[in-house]
Each structure stands twice: as C-alpha cells, then as structure tokens.
Amino acid sequence: MRLAFAASDRPEAQEARERLIARYGCHPAAEADVVVALGGDGFMLEVLHAHLRSTCSIYGMNRGSVGFLMNDYAEEGLLERIATSEKAITHPLSMEAVDATGAVHQAVAINEVSLLRQTHQTAKLRVSIDNKVRMEELVCDGVMVATPAGSTAYNLSAHGPIIPIAAQVLALTPISAFRPRRWRGALLSHTARVMIEVLEPEKRPVSAVADNYEVRRVRRVEIAETRHIDLVMLFDAGRSLEERVLAEQFQS
C-alpha cells in the first residue's frame, strides 16, 4: 500500500508527519493509494479539495481541534487500520456565482454553499428549485445548501437537519430567517438545481461562499450536486462516517 502524508501547519501535525514517514515511508500524492491527512476537519477539507479529481482515498487522523471527519491518532498498526477501514463516498456541490460586474465565478464545495449578508442590512433572496420559484422573498441573514457530509457542520449550527451519508438529499437551510419567520428550510433531491437571486443587491449586498472560497456582491448563485466527482474518505472499522452521523442525532 503506497501512502502519502499531508499535515496542517500545526506543530503536532508536522511532528506526527515526520514520525510516520520515518516508519512507513512516503510516496508522492499522485502515486499514492491513500493520502493520510494529519490535522483537523478544516485541513481534511483542504486535502479533499486538493484531490477532487484524484483516484486516491483520504484517511484522516486527528492532529487538530475539531475531528469529526478524522480517525483517532495512533502510529501503531496504520496499514492494518487502513486495510480494514470503511469507505464513505460523498459528492461535492458546484457553485456558479454571478457578481455585480457580471463576472462568473465557479467553485466546488464539499460541505456547503452559503449566501451571507455583507452589511447590517438583512438579505432579500428569491429561491428557485429546478427553474420554479419556490419562495418569492426570503428575508434573512443568509441561506445555505449543504451536502450530507456537511450537514453536521455549519448546517447543524444553523438548526438544519442532519442527513445520513447514504441519503440522496441536500439540505436547504435558512440562517436567521426573519420573513417568513417560521420557515425552517427544506430537504431537496440530490438532483435538484438551486438558484438563489439577490433582491435589492445594491442596498443589501450578499456574498457567496463555497467552503472557503468567497465571492462578494453576488447577484445570482446556482448550486447543484456534482455526481461525477467521487470523494472517498476512510474510517476505522466500527466508526464509519454513517455511524458518526447517526450518533450525532442522539447527542443530548
């Protein structure tokens, strides 16, 4: 098994990488079967983005703060752990955003695409699903479309639903909805194409964020799942991502 090791800039991650390379060797990422990511969830997203079009799998070990997407760190028996690990295959979102100048920006999101107000003024948004307007005016701090993998991240903090990894749905979740005040969002088919238009963009500017890629003063954003990209994460036997997502729903 050919391993590559990637580490965040945290000292404990860098030190772990050196120890693991000394023990297991290291191949270039382009030649590796598995990339071992050492850090937290944010670094795992960085590694996944770096290998969007790669055939290698990603096995994370926690050397950061938040480690929902990471396995426990241990140097012993790494090859055996990887060999018996369970796969989680996810598909990212594509974002196409048109800004105030008419420029088109494209990006990919593994967790979510978010639209966020840029000033003290609430955002006013029109939401369409598959070319049909479903909400003429949503007044809010923002709104997001989240994948199952991202449903336990920002989406959950915004009181969105937790989605099982195998479920073929996306979460459309408002952020501090003011009108309609009681709207809590929707679950959409994974084939849905979401278009969000910004109303009163000069008075109420809005930014669009695909994971960590931001576009300011957007006018229109289109979001869809990218089924032809498979992202493969590996989790220790008995601690699959599906199990973690399920357990998260029973947290008190």
Side-chain angles (χ1 to χ4, degrees):
M1 186 186 301
R2 294 169 298 182
L3 302 181
F5 292 92
S8 72
D9 57 5
R10 293 174 68 112
E12 57 267 42
Q14 291 290 326
E15 292 166 6
R17 181 177 183 272
E18 295 304 317
R19 291 195 300 270
L20 289 166
I21 288 175
R23 187 164 191 163
Y24 296 101
C26 186
H27 288 78
E31 301 173 9
D33 301 306
V34 177
V35 174
V36 178
L38 304 164
D41 283 354
F43 184 68
M44 172 62 96
L45 289 180
E46 289 183 30
V47 174
L48 288 168
H49 274 282
H51 294 86
L52 280 174
R53 288 164 180 81
S54 170
T55 58
C56 67
S57 303
I58 312 297
Y59 179 88
M61 286 201 290
N62 192 9
R63 291 282 85 186
S65 51
V66 179
F68 185 82
L69 297 176
M70 314 302 277
N71 298 289
D72 292 338
Y73 179 78
E75 296 175 22
E76 298 286 340
L78 179 59
L79 294 177
E80 292 75 15
R81 289 172 68 187
I82 293 175
T84 58
S85 62
E86 302 179 31
K87 289 184 178 180
I89 300 176
T90 65
H91 306 284
L93 300 172
S94 64
M95 178 187 81
E96 183 174 283
V98 180
D99 68 19
T101 69
V104 178
H105 306 262
Q106 295 180 327
V108 171
I110 295 163
N111 272 358
E112 74 279 318
V113 173
S114 307
L115 278 78
L116 306 165
R117 66 183 176 97
Q118 289 182 209
T119 68
H120 65 283
Q121 294 271 30
T122 55
K124 285 189 176 182
L125 309 172
R126 179 185 295 124
V127 180
S128 299
I129 311 296
D130 294 329
N131 297 317
K132 182 174 181 178
V133 176
R134 292 293 181 178
M135 186 166 289
E136 283 287 354
E137 184 178 274
L138 171 63
V139 183
C140 56
D141 280 355
V143 68
M144 77 180 77
V145 177
T147 66
S151 67
T152 58
Y154 188 18
N155 174 73
L156 181 59
S157 297
H159 307 291
I162 296 175
I163 304 172
I165 294 300
Q168 295 186 328
V169 296
L170 303 172
L172 176 64
T173 301
I175 303 168
S176 300
F178 177 70
R179 189 184 306 121
R181 192 181 298 274
R182 297 186 183 278
W183 188 61
R184 293 293 181 264
L187 289 174
L188 309 175
S189 167
H190 71 103
T191 63
R193 298 191 66 85
V194 181
M195 182 171 72
I196 302 171
E197 299 168 272
V198 179
L199 309 178
E200 302 180 25
E202 298 299 332
K203 180 181 179 182
R204 303 170 185 271
V206 170
S207 65
V209 183
D211 284 349
N212 59 357
Y213 177 83
E214 183 178 16
V215 182
R216 306 282 285 180
R217 293 188 171 272
V218 296
R219 296 298 179 92
R220 184 180 74 252
V221 178
E222 296 186 37
I223 306 159
E225 189 180 65
T226 307
R227 295 295 295 181
H228 67 275
I229 298 178
D230 293 340
L231 297 174
V232 181
M233 291 181 283
L234 302 177
F235 294 88
D236 288 335
R239 300 205 61 207
S240 68
L241 185 57
E242 189 75 35
E243 168 60 28
R244 296 176 192 212
V245 170
L246 181 61
E248 191 73 19
Q249 298 179 76
F250 292 90
Q251 295 290 330
S252 59

